[in-house]
Every structure is written in structure tokens, then in C-alpha cells.
Amino acid sequence: MYLIALLIFVAVLFIFFRRPMYEIMTLAFIFTIVISGSYGLFWDYLLFPASSTLFYAIFAFMVVAVIFDSTKVINNIIQLLLSAVGRFKGGGGYVALLGSTFMAALSGTGPGNVAATGVFTIPMMKRSNFPPALAATTEMSASMLGNIIPPSGIVILTFGILNDIYPESISLSNWMVVAYGIGLWFFLQRWVTLWALCKLYKVKPVPKEELSTFKNSFKKGWASLVLPAVIFIPLFIDSEFKSFIIGRIGEEGASAFSSSVLMFTPGLAGAYAITIGRKAFPSGKANLSDLISMFSSSLLKVVPIGVTIYMAYATSQVFIGLGMEQAVRDWFLSFGFSLTALIIILPLFFMVLGMILPGSAQVAILGGAMISVFGAYGGDPVLLAAMLPAMTGALEGMTPPLALGLFVAMGIAGSSFRETTKLAIIWVVLHVILSMLMIAGMLPILGL
């Protein structure tokens, strides 16, 4: 009943009062404390995320996304991709798929990324004969995909919830590698979907006059290509070379290394971006004044997302304290579902919920309960937890008729609601089907 009351509370504030999500999640935390009578633990729950290294990592990577944007390194990558694939039919869409997915993985906000990168990618696609609706839904699906690829905040948030229920069931670095493996399958699904739709709509290549030669683009942007490796390689080493690390620095050293990998990676990536992109600053170099100006101007972008995730995490602690996982687990078991039925129900359930709640809120409020339920039915709780970002964060802004990412993209593209909605349903249905196949264990996942 607490859960149902909270969902109604959030839905009313979002749909009827149109309050921003960071404000809604703050009020939702207070609302949960009040209806549950957990006043004595208010400060414990509120301060819990502040003591978590996971929240630090989430916030740090959002700041890194700001650095990437200010130093123009993402623009260099996009220009390089354009020179490589822009000459092919639908090339503008593939560039949007690659660039927007990467940027959204850093910023952790699908709808926000649609607004940030869509103003570049959507007009680019339309100039290469993309119908406005296809341009809008391609950008929408790419930006929402970024939510499930590390270092996106929802991926790290989900690990924290899993670790609260099943401590040490998987290491953080191994978890991140698994998330990359899941993201790869969904990226391939989007690539194939885009290829088919480009064939259907007879999309043309990007106009030649807008393309630079690959040689010039590579000369200008090759250093930017190192950034994904700077983020991924430390996580991969910690996950896949655990025995080697233990042999060199012992169990305690390996544990310390593992817990600190996600702490130093954003700083390393940010420092590298500032180094290679320093000429993009007003003074032509990375001096203190330019850095302060960059960070201060980014507050309105970073803080609302940070507050949303922080308060969602705090709210999840209230429900964990109330033992909601057990209550929801018992409720689900009372229906007598089979594991197969649950595999079908869960993606559809989160698809509908994504019309109302952002992915981080879904994971925070329901994640622990759904993980417990899946384990009770004989499923692998780690697999279900790893798939939660794909069923929540990636679907959050895509499902009509209430789809924030879709609305933002539609506004930029100038596409009609009817045609855009029809194409959005194709992306959503294929995403849900792939989710079911992966939860059922029918596809191999890197790291599992």
C-alpha cells in the first residue's frame, strides 16, 4: 500500500502539476517517511547516499560529461564518425546512434541528451532524407540506450541496490563489464532496426559538402577516440584479471584497487579531456578562470539530475528499511506465476511504468523487490538486476503516449505526433522482446 500510494503521488505531481523530477523525488522521499512513520530514521536515510562511493561516481561522471561538452571532444568524435560512415545510406543515423549513445552514457539522462545532441544530429539526419519522424525516433532510441551503458548513473545505482540485498554476489567491476555486454546486444538491435528503417524509407547519404575527409577528421579527432578506452580499460582489468591482481598485491590490495577503480576513472577521463581539448576554452588554455566558469555554468544541468538520483537512492533505503522486498515477494508469489510468465510480465510492467516514472525512480522504489521476486521464482537475481536499467532507464522516455525523450526529439524534428508515435512503438516493441530473451538466458552476456 505504501508503494501504490507513492506511485500515485509521483504520477499526480508529474502529470497534473508538471513539477520537475528532482523536486518530485525530494517530495517523494518526505512523503514515504510520513506515510510509513519512519521519522526517527529520517536523517539516516537522507544521509545514506552521501556516504556512498557509488553516488560519488554517478555525480563525477555527470561532471565529466560537462567537460567533454566544453572541450568539444564529443564533437570531434562525431565529425570523425561522419567522415567514416556518412557516405553510406543512412550514415547520419548511424552517427547519431554512436554519438548520442556514448554521450548519454556519461550524462545519465536520456531526455536531456536528446536536447543536447539532438539539435545537431536530427537536422543532420533530415538533410540526408530522413523523414522527420525517423530522425526523431532514432535520436530518441540512441539517447535512451545510453542510460544502460556504464558509467551511466542508473547502472551504478542498480548495483548498490543489488548489493544491499545480495552482498558480494558480484564485484562492481564485473558488474560494469556485464552492463557493457547487455548494452552491446541492445546497440546491435538498434543498428539492425535503423538499417531496416533506412531501407524502408530510402534514406540517402549525408550530403558530400557536409563531410570532411577521413584523413582530416582523424588528424583532428584521433585523440578523442582514446576516451572510451580510458573509461573502459580500468574496469575491464579489474573484472577479468582479478587473479593476476591478487597475485601481485594480495587480497587486501586487490579489494582496495577494485573499490577505487570507479573513483579515479572519471577524474582520469576528465583530466585527459581537458588536456586534449584545452584550446576550446575562451583563453585557448585550461586556466583556473575557464574551469570555474565551465563548472559554474553547468550547475543547472548537473545538479537537478544529481538531486533526482540522490533522493531516489534515499527513498530506496526507506523501502529497504520497511522490508518491502519481502512484502512484494510474498505478494507476487501469491499469484502462482511461473518463471516464464514473470519473464514476460516484468518488461511489460516496466514499459508501462516508464510513462510515469524515470528509470532511476523505478529502480530505487521497485528494484530491490523485483530482484527478490525473480530470485524466489528460481531465476538468477544478478541477471535480473543487470537487466533492470534496460527495462527502466532505456524505456523511460520512449513509450507513447507519455514519453519525455520522444516529445523532446519530436519538437526538434518538427514531426507529427501520429507518425512519430508509430515509429516509436517499433523501437519499443523490439526493445521489450530483446529484454525478454535476455532475461530468459537465451543470449550470452559478457561477464556472466
Side-chain angles (χ1 to χ4, degrees):
M1 295 306 297
Y2 292 155
L3 176 60
I4 292 171
L6 180 61
L7 292 176
I8 294 173
F9 178 80
V10 170
V12 168
L13 289 179
F14 183 70
I15 297 173
F16 297 104
F17 291 93
R18 300 185 181 278
R19 304 310 305 162
M21 191 51 65
Y22 65 89
E23 181 181 312
I24 291 174
M25 288 313 301
T26 302
L27 294 174
F29 171 74
I30 297 172
F31 179 78
T32 307
I33 288 288
V34 171
I35 63 173
S36 65
S38 305
Y39 303 105
L41 294 172
F42 176 88
W43 290 109
D44 289 341
Y45 293 142
L46 181 62
L47 296 178
F48 179 84
S51 64
S52 169
T53 58
L54 297 178
F55 180 76
Y56 162 79
I58 294 170
F59 194 82
F61 274 114
M62 288 191 291
V63 173
V64 167
V66 171
I67 295 174
F68 284 5
D69 184 47
S70 299
T71 54
K72 308 301 182 187
V73 295
I74 296 299
N75 188 55
N76 290 339
I77 293 176
I78 290 176
Q79 292 299 329
L80 183 57
L81 292 172
L82 262 177
S83 66
V85 302
R87 294 170 175 81
F88 300 102
K89 293 180 179 180
Y94 300 121
V95 171
L97 181 57
L98 287 161
S100 295
T101 298
F102 177 64
M103 193 62 188
L106 294 168
S107 65
T109 166
N113 193 72
V114 173
T117 63
V119 293
F120 174 78
T121 59
I122 291 176
M124 174 187 67
M125 286 186 277
K126 289 177 69 177
R127 287 194 295 271
S128 58
N129 200 41
F130 268 75
L134 180 56
T137 54
T138 298
E139 172 60 38
M140 171 202 72
S141 63
S143 288
M144 302 315 299
L145 174 62
N147 276 346
I148 73 174
I149 296 176
S152 172
I154 193 172
V155 175
I156 304 172
L157 173 66
T158 308
F159 172 81
I161 292 172
L162 171 67
N163 200 52
D164 285 336
I165 304 170
Y166 295 96
E168 300 182 6
S169 56
I170 185 173
S171 70
L172 177 57
S173 294
N174 194 24
W175 169 266
M176 301 293 262
V177 171
V178 170
Y180 278 116
I182 291 172
L184 179 60
W185 277 112
F186 283 99
F187 181 83
L188 291 174
Q189 173 256 314
R190 277 160 170 71
W191 190 281
V192 172
T193 303
L194 179 59
W195 174 83
L197 291 174
C198 285
K199 285 280 189 181
L200 178 65
Y201 285 94
K202 298 179 173 58
V203 176
K204 298 175 182 177
V206 176
K208 291 183 178 180
E209 60 270 18
E210 296 187 21
L211 297 176
S212 175
T213 65
F214 182 78
K215 181 179 180 181
N216 290 339
S217 297
F218 185 79
K219 183 178 180 180
K220 184 179 179 180
W222 69 268
S224 300
L225 294 177
V226 178
L227 278 170
V230 170
I231 295 171
F232 177 73
I233 288 176
L235 298 169
F236 184 78
I237 290 174
D238 183 46
S239 172
E240 302 300 315
F241 296 92
K242 183 72 70 178
S243 298
F244 174 80
I245 296 172
I246 292 174
R248 307 296 285 180
I249 58 177
E251 289 276 0
E252 291 187 4
S255 176
F257 176 77
S258 182
S259 62
S260 63
V261 160
L262 208 61
M263 302 279 284
F264 69 73
T265 299
L268 187 64
Y272 179 75
I274 290 172
T275 301
I276 65 173
R278 58 191 181 278
K279 293 183 180 179
F281 290 110
S283 64
K285 57 182 179 180
N287 58 38
L288 183 60
S289 175
D290 286 336
L291 293 175
I292 291 175
S293 176
M294 174 186 67
F295 288 126
S296 61
S297 64
S298 71
L299 289 176
L300 292 178
K301 297 180 183 178
V302 174
V303 172
I305 304 168
V307 171
T308 298
I309 294 176
Y310 186 99
M311 298 311 299
Y313 202 2
T315 303
S316 74
Q317 293 305 304
V318 180
F319 280 113
I320 288 173
L322 293 172
M324 192 187 73
E325 295 85 12
Q326 184 64 37
V328 175
R329 174 182 176 276
D330 293 342
W331 183 68
F332 259 88
L333 288 174
S334 69
F335 289 106
F337 292 131
S338 65
L339 182 60
T340 301
L342 200 63
I343 289 169
I344 296 172
I345 290 170
L346 287 180
L348 295 174
F349 172 70
F350 283 116
M351 178 191 75
V352 173
L353 202 61
M355 299 182 196
I356 303 170
L357 290 177
S360 56
Q362 293 180 59
V363 169
I365 297 171
L366 283 167
M370 294 301 102
I371 293 168
S372 296
V373 167
F374 196 70
Y377 274 91
D380 181 357
V382 174
L383 171 60
L384 192 280
M387 285 296 299
L388 276 179
M391 293 185 291
T392 58
L395 285 173
E396 151 201 338
M398 291 176 58
T399 310
L402 301 173
L404 185 56
L406 177 64
F407 292 156
V408 174
M410 195 166 56
I412 297 171
S415 56
S416 69
F417 180 79
R418 181 186 180 92
E419 188 64 26
T420 311
T421 297
K422 283 164 43 176
L423 279 174
I425 290 172
I426 294 175
W427 292 97
V428 169
V429 168
L430 293 175
H431 184 100
V432 168
I433 291 173
L434 182 57
S435 297
M436 293 175 181
L437 293 175
M438 295 184 73
I439 298 173
M442 298 177 68
L443 296 172
I445 298 174
L446 179 67
L448 276 183

